[in-house]
Amino acid sequence: MTIDTQTENLLTNELIELLQSAGRIIEINKGSFLFQEGQPASEMFLILSGRIQISKMNAEGQELYLRLCSEHDIVGELTLFTEDPRYIFNARVMEDGHVACIQLDFLEKALFQNSNLGYQFIKWMNDHIRRTMTKFRDLVLYGKKGALYSTLIRLSNSYGLHKEDGIHLTVPITTQDLAHFCGTAREIVSRMLTKLKKKQIISMDHKKIIIHNLDYLKSENDCENCPISHCTID
């Protein structure tokens, strides 16, 4: 089946409209949790505004950041079509906003009844899984430095503003945040950032990173030039 770009975009809008209209809309406050790992799941969520950090905690209490999500991102999606659904990640609110809450049974029924919506959701899930796989590839194959460079590249694709002096990340990212994305200690990330600053690859402006030489990060990471849609942090 061939679907042209105009129809594909229409389906995307149709899915977003379904998610926005279903269930209820709630306010989210910075520092709170939308859901936590192990909790029974009856809803998934569409972010209308604000930002949510998706993470995983191991038995020793070490946290690994997986996604930084914003408007029109879906979270809690891995609970669909499962028995005794429970959330497998933590969703911490990083910026005040609102989310639409969608009952899982309602969405499952809608996807079964509307093949166009079902196709669009499967396509979104496939892209989402591919993005996740590339993140783990960078972490496992290229080590801590590769994970850091990959995180900076992904942040630039998701939250980068291109200016004359480089790519300005529009979200504040601390050294500890980057360490959580890389699965390593803050001190290790701090040393790597210092080296990048000395080489004038990056600089800092009021806790926000400016990337001056994105090509350097890509070359050091043996970048495969995959589509930007597969190289984001959300």
Side-chain angles (χ1 to χ4, degrees):
M1 177 176 62
T2 301
I3 296 181
D4 59 32
T5 302
Q6 183 177 358
T7 305
E8 189 170 307
N9 289 338
L10 177 62
L11 290 176
T12 301
N13 292 335
E14 185 182 357
L15 180 58
I16 289 174
E17 289 174 5
L18 170 70
L19 298 176
Q20 287 178 328
S21 63
R24 59 199 175 96
I25 295 176
I26 62 171
E27 183 178 357
I28 53 175
N29 299 308
K30 182 178 179 180
S32 64
F33 283 90
L34 182 60
F35 55 80
Q36 290 183 275
E37 184 177 349
Q39 287 182 339
S42 60
E43 297 174 310
M44 55 175 282
F45 308 91
L46 174 71
I47 302 174
L48 304 178
S49 60
R51 289 195 178 93
I52 293 178
Q53 180 75 69
I54 303 299
S55 65
K56 182 77 173 178
M57 190 84 70
N58 66 15
E60 288 73 35
Q62 184 178 7
E63 193 172 16
L64 176 65
Y65 288 174
L66 299 172
R67 301 171 63 199
L68 180 59
C69 306
S70 56
E71 182 181 5
H72 288 171
D73 283 332
I74 299 172
V75 296
E77 71 287 345
L78 296 180
T79 55
L80 273 174
F81 302 109
T82 60
E83 295 184 7
D84 186 27
R86 294 178 180 272
Y87 297 113
I88 61 175
F89 299 124
N90 298 308
R92 182 188 290 112
V93 180
M94 308 302 292
E95 182 181 291
D96 295 348
H98 293 84
V99 299
C101 310
I102 305 97
Q103 289 290 326
L104 297 179
D105 54 358
F106 168 85
L107 182 57
E108 290 171 356
K109 185 180 298 183
L111 295 177
F112 273 124
Q113 293 175 345
N114 189 322
S115 60
N116 284 341
L117 286 177
Y119 165 81
Q120 192 61 41
F121 193 81
I122 291 172
K123 183 176 181 296
W124 178 87
M125 282 292 295
N126 180 62
D127 289 340
H128 173 53
I129 291 170
R130 291 182 68 176
R131 287 196 301 270
T132 302
M133 291 298 293
T134 58
K135 292 175 187 176
F136 285 122
R137 175 203 64 193
D138 293 342
L139 180 60
V140 173
L141 295 183
Y142 300 121
K144 305 306 181 185
K145 186 175 78 169
L148 174 61
Y149 290 6
S150 171
T151 298
L152 292 173
I153 294 169
R154 293 175 188 279
L155 284 167
S156 73
N157 289 333
S158 293
Y159 298 103
L161 180 62
H162 290 255
K163 296 186 178 182
E164 290 184 1
D165 61 338
I167 303 173
H168 292 237
L169 301 186
T170 58
V171 292
I173 298 291
T174 67
T175 304
Q176 186 63 69
D177 290 334
L178 291 172
H180 284 317
F181 274 116
C182 299
T184 190
R186 183 183 63 82
E187 293 76 13
I188 294 176
V189 171
S190 181
R191 287 196 293 269
M192 289 190 288
L193 290 175
T194 297
K195 291 180 180 178
L196 290 176
K197 291 176 187 175
K198 288 181 178 179
K199 294 180 179 179
Q200 298 183 336
I201 306 300
I202 67 168
S203 62
M204 300 291 295
D205 181 22
H206 301 292
K207 296 185 179 180
K208 292 185 179 179
I209 296 174
I210 304 173
I211 301 174
H212 302 292
N213 192 342
L214 186 65
D215 288 337
Y216 174 86
L217 300 177
K218 289 183 176 181
S219 64
E220 287 291 302
N221 232 31
D222 294 326
C223 181
E224 298 177 358
N225 292 315
C226 55
I228 289 181
S229 59
H230 294 158
C231 189
T232 60
I233 206 71
D234 51 16

